[in-house]
Amino acid sequence: MKKLLMLCLLIISFSCDKSSDAIEEEVITMEDPVDVVSNTIINAGDVSDISIFDSKPYFQDDAGYNGSELTNLPPERIVTFTHVDGLSDTEELEKIIDELSANGGGKITIVSGNYTFRDVLLKSNVHITIESNTVIKLEKQNEGRNARNGFRYFFALSGKEVGQPLENVRIVGLGTPDTRPKLIVEKFNEPWGPAFSRAIAFGYVKNALIENLTIEDNYTLGAALAFNPVDLNDDGETAQMAENVTIANVSLSKASVGYGLVQTNVGKNLLLKNLSCQGGMTCRIESHTGRKFDIGVSNIVVKNVASINGKAAVLLQPHSVLNGRILVDIAKSEGSSWTLFLKEGFVGPDSKRRLKGDFAESSKFTNISLASTDDTATLSFKNLSFIPANIKPLYNAPNYVFITDDANHKIDADGKPGRESPIVGPSIAVVYNDATYPLNLPSENDLIVSGETENRLKLLKR
């Protein structure tokens, strides 16, 4: 019947006047979206809402948290924690963590309230639950064990301090996206300049779960959840990485254009699930700090993630490392520049391997979509060279709209923006790809672009 209808319309088009072109065009534009949308999943709403998108299972496609529940614990290993005026929240919580871990592990419930933490070191077999309506802020500048190197974070899963991997660690929030625990990241300037701020730093850890949190950033330097290598011997030659970690149902707002929610410089069997990021990038997968040791990422599973008015939902850049597979399923951008931003790597001065890297050919991308806008997407100023000429007028050069609060924004003495200065403008394409290594991308029929579609692309290949 469908074929018969199409045939009839084509016959009519040959027998009519110039208006027949409009009829034929209407048939084409009506047919394509119906067939494509039915095959491509686009999850609606806040993908980090745990009541809509379940965080379980924590282990999928051989990736994620596969630790054990702590059961049959004696009462002294089930502890509640609350703020006490005059005492350091960081020091008091660490005392409990150390004691529980030394006795085989235990559970801590952080009671609803207001707290300030900095550089809290987690230990093996400690599970932390944070009640709803809890607000956590970072301690002030020049405080904490990492004050000298300019980094600060709420929690660290390092392993460096104990010389072995942390195992079976959890931080779980309770509540809805409106009531679940909030981690507030603020800008601080150390005496030597701006500091990097993170919510959680991952080092040498095996089996960790981070679930149901809201992170409120302020366009600070550094990704909110970052994976970096741990050089246990300080020899600059070998390093360890995180394995079997699940990050689920977490949102981030006001992310810097150069950073975002999750950055996996290294890692193995990581599940990044039900994540939403406003600004920046939701999942930044690149072998940056790992290239010094020639280690990167392997089996990173990205499932149901969203980029809101940002740069991209997923960035891939291998640099000089031969990485394992990446699986991305259900990634959407709403008013962002791209959904997938797939970059060629480069050999840096610190790269141990002196050749460009790649990701495994078994990497796969499915259910990728972009809801395009004209004036909400963010882009690093240096990336303007990537933009097709027919879209560039939407940036209103030379009167660019900058996110002036972004820590990456700079204007030099001549009035020229810095390379990472964020400009606001149009969505561009569902996928940007300048990688020379093979990737198993969807066909253009399976890539969805909606909203402001004039001059927008499904695939921009350079």
Side-chain angles (χ1 to χ4, degrees), residues 220-240:
T220 60
L221 295 174
L225 308 174
F227 292 76
N228 284 292
V230 174
D231 184 355
L232 290 178
N233 301 319
D234 291 318
D235 59 9
E237 293 294 328
T238 59
Q240 307 297 326

Side-chain angles (χ1 to χ4, degrees), residues 42-54 175-180 212-214 248-252 261 273-278 304-308 332 334:
I42 306 172
N43 284 334
D46 181 359
V47 300
S48 75
D49 188 337
I50 201 168
S51 68
I52 302 173
F53 302 103
D54 198 347
T176 68
D178 291 330
T179 65
R180 66 191 178 196
N212 201 34
L213 301 172
T214 293
N249 298 87
V250 178
S251 67
L252 174 68
L261 178 50
K273 183 178 182 182
N274 304 341
L275 307 179
S276 177
C277 184
Q278 181 266 317
N304 191 30
V305 299
S307 171
I308 314 297
K332 69 175 182 178
E334 295 181 354

Side-chain angles (χ1 to χ4, degrees), residues 25 65 82 98 109 180 206 232 380 406 410:
E25 178 68 17
Y65 175 75
T82 189
D98 292 346
T109 297
R180 66 191 178 196
K206 295 183 178 180
L232 290 178
S380 299
D406 195 306
K410 292 179 177 62

Side-chain angles (χ1 to χ4, degrees), residues 325-398:
R325 74 169 185 176
I326 310 295
L327 300 181
V328 178
D329 181 38
I330 312 178
K332 69 175 182 178
S333 284
E334 295 181 354
S336 297
S337 293
W338 339 81
T339 304
L340 302 182
F341 193 50
L342 310 177
K343 289 285 293 167
E344 183 79 346
F346 59 84
V347 179
D350 57 349
S351 293
K352 188 173 184 178
R353 182 175 178 271
R354 304 309 299 172
L355 296 170
K356 287 185 179 181
D358 61 19
F359 292 96
E361 287 191 49
S362 57
S363 298
K364 189 175 181 181
F365 307 84
T366 51
N367 297 305
I368 311 299
S369 66
L370 167 69
S372 176
T373 63
D374 282 344
D375 54 8
T376 65
T378 55
L379 190 73
S380 299
F381 188 75
K382 67 182 180 182
N383 293 151
L384 268 179
S385 62
F386 302 166
I387 309 305
N390 53 9
I391 300 179
K392 280 188 177 179
L394 293 175
Y395 289 98
N396 300 311

